[in-house]
């Protein structure tokens, strides 16, 4: 069974600064996908960024980037130039190739961006 | 982009009532949809996987007779909470399996269910 651990229940950051959210996972699979989803106070979850395990290059999406350490089973999310609209709950998720579509989610990190 | 519509957004009803929640993929076909339950400030708990044209696959501990799932078309899945009781009060979220690599999920807005 796969597990996803987010060790930071809550975090805060000043506007325009950088923050890193941590995520570790446990699996015996070699081929899988990793995701970060964002759930703002309006509640709809949206995809922030995704990474395929066989790719060594870290994924980036504008101000969002990941630090993927496969050996350490770590998948942290870095948000640069934080904006007030980044305030949300962030979930790290894991999905194997063989179980496509069915993700395992971490417990989430509530991020507050302060003005 | 892919849009998933979930309706209703909020339901308040008396104990013993059955409540139906709809999840629609508006601009794509969703062979597979997922139903989650989420408690305040907690993660999503997968309840079941809904497959078009076949029976849903329920996670361990989820009562299939309590939470009826129907996925009759490629754009609609429904979750019916039968004879709801206060302990069923929660936030229910559906998602549809997306396309492209990794098949990221596209989520509905969620339904806040409150049983009095």
């Amino acid at each position: 069974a796969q597990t996803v651990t987010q060790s930071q229940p809550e975090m805060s950051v000043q506007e325009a600064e950088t923050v890193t959210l941590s995520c570790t996972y446990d699996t015996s699979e070699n081929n899988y996908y990793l995701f970060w989803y964002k759930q703002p106070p309006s509640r709809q979850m949206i995809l922030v960024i995704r990474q395929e395990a066989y790719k060594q290059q870290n994924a980036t999406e504008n101000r969002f980037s990941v630090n993927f350490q496969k050996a350490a089973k770590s998948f942290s999310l870095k948000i640069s130039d934080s904006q007030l609209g980044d305030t949300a709950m962030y979930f790290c998720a894991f999905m194997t190739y063989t179980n496509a579509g069915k993700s395992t989610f971490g417990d989430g990190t509530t991020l507050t961006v302060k003005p | 982009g892919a849009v998933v519509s979930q309706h209703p957004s909020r339901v308040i009803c008396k104990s013993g009532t059955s409540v139906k929640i709809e999840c629609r993929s508006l601009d794509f076909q969703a062979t597979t949809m997922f139903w989650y339950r989420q408690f305040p400030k907690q993660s999503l708990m997968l309840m079941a996987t809904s497959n078009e044209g076949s029976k849903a696959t329920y996670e361990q501990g989820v009562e299939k007779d309590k939470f009826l799932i129907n996925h009759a078309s490629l754009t609609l899945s429904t979750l019916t909470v039968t004879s709801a009781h206060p302990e069923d009060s929660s936030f229910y979220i559906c998602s549809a399996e997306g396309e492209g690599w990794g098949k990221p999920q596209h989520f509905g807005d969620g339904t806040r269910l409150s049983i009095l």
Side-chain angles (χ1 to χ4, degrees):
Chain A
Q2 290 83 26
T3 59
V4 178
T5 302
Q6 294 178 246
S7 60
Q8 306 150 313
E10 296 183 354
M11 294 189 72
S12 63
V13 64
Q14 290 296 134
E15 194 175 7
E17 295 191 345
T18 296
V19 64
T20 300
L21 281 59
S22 66
C23 172
T24 59
Y25 57 94
D26 188 25
T27 183
S28 58
E29 300 275 342
N30 195 46
N31 298 314
Y32 50 87
Y33 302 102
L34 292 160
F35 307 88
W36 278 97
Y37 288 95
K38 169 185 177 181
Q39 188 180 38
S42 64
R43 305 309 289 268
Q44 184 178 39
M45 285 184 61
I46 56 174
L47 176 69
V48 174
I49 197 166
R50 53 182 160 171
Q51 174 87 35
E52 200 157 9
Y54 80 87
K55 291 184 178 179
Q56 294 186 348
Q57 186 174 5
N58 290 322
T60 62
E61 287 288 342
N62 301 312
R63 298 183 295 107
F64 298 89
S65 61
V66 298
N67 183 4
F68 174 47
Q69 303 287 332
K70 189 172 183 179
K73 295 180 181 174
S74 171
F75 184 63
S76 60
L77 174 69
K78 185 172 82 171
I79 305 174
S80 304
D81 186 26
S82 297
Q83 300 176 359
L84 297 178
D86 295 333
T87 293
M89 197 162 184
Y90 288 81
F91 292 97
C92 179
F94 172 98
M95 184 174 69
T96 63
Y97 280 23
T98 55
N99 215 0
K102 187 175 177 180
S103 296
T104 301
F105 291 85
D107 287 341
T109 296
T110 299
L111 175 67
T112 301
V113 179
K114 299 180 178 179
Chain B
V3 177
V4 174
S5 174
Q6 187 173 341
H7 179 80
S9 59
R10 185 171 178 87
V11 179
I12 302 173
C13 57
K14 294 181 179 180
S15 184
T17 305
S18 291
V19 178
K20 179 185 282 189
I21 303 170
E22 293 187 348
C23 182
R24 295 181 183 272
S25 56
L26 296 186
D27 52 358
F28 68 104
Q29 294 182 331
T31 306
T32 303
M33 291 185 174
F34 303 93
W35 288 96
Y36 296 89
R37 186 171 179 175
Q38 186 182 29
F39 292 101
K41 294 194 173 183
Q42 293 189 24
S43 189
L44 282 71
M45 182 190 77
L46 180 65
M47 299 174 65
T49 302
S50 171
N51 299 297
E52 188 268 336
S54 64
K55 292 183 179 181
T57 304
Y58 289 83
E59 296 300 302
Q60 190 173 7
V62 178
E63 299 176 59
K64 61 181 180 180
D65 295 330
K66 174 75 170 176
F67 299 99
L68 300 178
I69 291 173
N70 183 275
H71 195 157
S73 77
L74 287 171
T75 58
L76 174 64
S77 176
T78 61
L79 167 68
T80 301
V81 183
T82 62
S83 187
H85 292 285
E87 58 266 27
D88 298 323
S89 298
S90 190
F91 193 66
Y92 293 88
I93 304 176
C94 73
S95 73
E97 182 180 277
E99 298 177 342
W101 67 270
K103 294 185 181 295
Q105 294 183 48
H106 302 289
F107 291 87
D109 288 343
T111 298
R112 169 70 60 197
L113 176 62
S114 300
I115 308 298
L116 305 177

